[in-house]
Amino acid sequence: YRLSYYGAGTEAVAEEVSSLFPDVRVLRWDRDSTRSPRAYEEMLTGFRSGGAQVLVGTQMIAKGLHFPSVTLVGVVSADIGLNIPDYRSGERTFQLLCQVAGRAGRGWSPGTVVLQTYQPDNYAVQAAASQDYQRFYTEEMAFRSEQANPPFSKLVRLLYAHTNRALCEREALRLAEVIRSRVEELGQSDIELLGPMPAYPARVRGHYRWHLILRGPDPRGLLDQITVGPGWTVDVDPVALT
């Protein structure tokens, strides 16, 4: 394969479509092009009435839109969500791909969905392509069991954020050492400490972020015996690790 760097945003995709199909009108739907509810409504009305033939957008166009005339949906970089460091990344990728696929063929004409991916063998991508919910559930549960992730264990996430990067890292290392020492004292070998490591994303609104993950049958019980310290955010049974 020949790989190269290129823009992956909606603007780059819209420009490429326009150059390939000069007789087709293309609308771009993202935060830069539509900054008000009225702009959204005008764009949807124009696309629904046939004023434009192609709508390029972020994942916000995957949910809840009903266009009976749409017969083709394409997803660029369908596997990008699989690279997010979260145990639910496969589930979210499958969910999103199924949702966007549901935008095609909602009228009398059948629909076609094309997924562009560098991981065509991934079970989440394959199950989404075939709309096979049972296959995804079976393989996802097997993977989570192998990795000891929920629902086969429980998690506690501890997040620390600070404007000083070095201080943020030192505090994460300090608490990690406290936790390791406490685990050893109590002999709780069934509790696993993941990290410390930079969170994803590593910096938000000028604050650097580090986190630790406790995994096991009862990480909350261990946490109750530890003084975490100020500035930490503790999330028991987190819905996401990002």
Side-chain angles (χ1 to χ4, degrees):
Y1 297 99
R2 181 180 178 183
L3 303 180
S4 60
Y5 293 102
Y6 63 96
T10 54
E11 184 176 3
V13 173
E15 290 177 354
E16 183 70 13
V17 173
S18 295
S19 67
L20 292 173
F21 306 99
D23 297 330
V24 170
R25 187 186 176 199
V26 180
L27 294 178
R28 180 165 61 94
W29 186 2
D30 55 26
R31 292 181 180 177
D32 292 330
S33 60
T34 48
R35 297 181 176 272
S36 69
R38 183 176 180 179
Y40 283 119
E41 187 61 33
E42 290 176 352
M43 180 174 294
L44 292 177
T45 300
F47 184 67
R48 186 177 287 110
S49 64
Q53 293 72 50
V54 178
L55 177 62
V56 177
T58 57
Q59 58 181 282
M60 66 176 69
I61 68 174
K63 306 175 183 179
L65 298 181
H66 177 62
F67 298 121
S69 60
V70 170
T71 57
L72 175 64
V73 167
V75 183
V76 179
S77 299
D79 50 38
I80 193 169
L82 296 174
N83 300 318
I84 295 176
D86 192 325
Y87 75 95
R88 292 184 63 190
S89 60
E91 177 186 353
R92 289 198 174 92
T93 296
F94 174 78
Q95 181 184 48
L96 181 61
L97 293 180
C98 285
Q99 287 175 334
V100 73
R103 301 313 103 199
R106 300 176 70 87
W108 292 103
S109 301
T112 300
V113 181
V114 179
L115 305 180
Q116 182 269 317
T117 172
Y118 291 104
Q119 302 182 55
D121 296 328
N122 184 275
Y123 67 91
V125 175
Q126 289 196 347
S130 59
Q131 299 282 281
D132 191 338
Y133 290 80
Q134 184 60 50
R135 174 184 177 181
F136 173 76
Y137 173 81
T138 300
E139 297 203 36
E140 177 72 5
M141 286 300 100
F143 179 71
R144 291 196 190 187
S145 176
E146 177 185 338
Q147 299 296 317
N149 280 327
F152 303 97
S153 67
K154 293 185 178 181
L155 302 179
V156 172
R157 183 192 189 207
L158 300 101
L159 174 69
Y160 190 80
H162 201 279
T163 55
N164 186 299
R165 179 170 54 185
L167 189 153
C168 186
E169 180 178 355
R170 286 199 304 270
E171 175 60 16
L173 292 170
R174 180 201 67 79
L175 183 58
E177 185 57 36
V178 169
I179 293 175
R180 290 192 186 97
S181 298
R182 193 60 174 154
V183 167
E184 186 175 344
E185 290 175 8
L186 298 173
Q188 290 191 284
S189 58
D190 57 347
I191 300 295
E192 183 180 7
L193 172 62
L194 306 178
M197 66 197 104
Y200 179 87
R203 190 182 185 191
V204 176
R205 291 188 291 273
H207 287 71
Y208 296 94
R209 307 179 338 136
W210 278 64
H211 67 174
L212 303 89
I213 310 296
L214 294 177
R215 180 169 63 186
D218 184 26
R220 172 66 182 273
L222 171 66
L223 192 64
D224 289 340
Q225 303 184 57
I226 294 174
T227 301
V228 175
W232 283 89
T233 299
V234 179
D235 190 353
V236 178
D237 296 327
V239 175
L241 300 180
T242 57

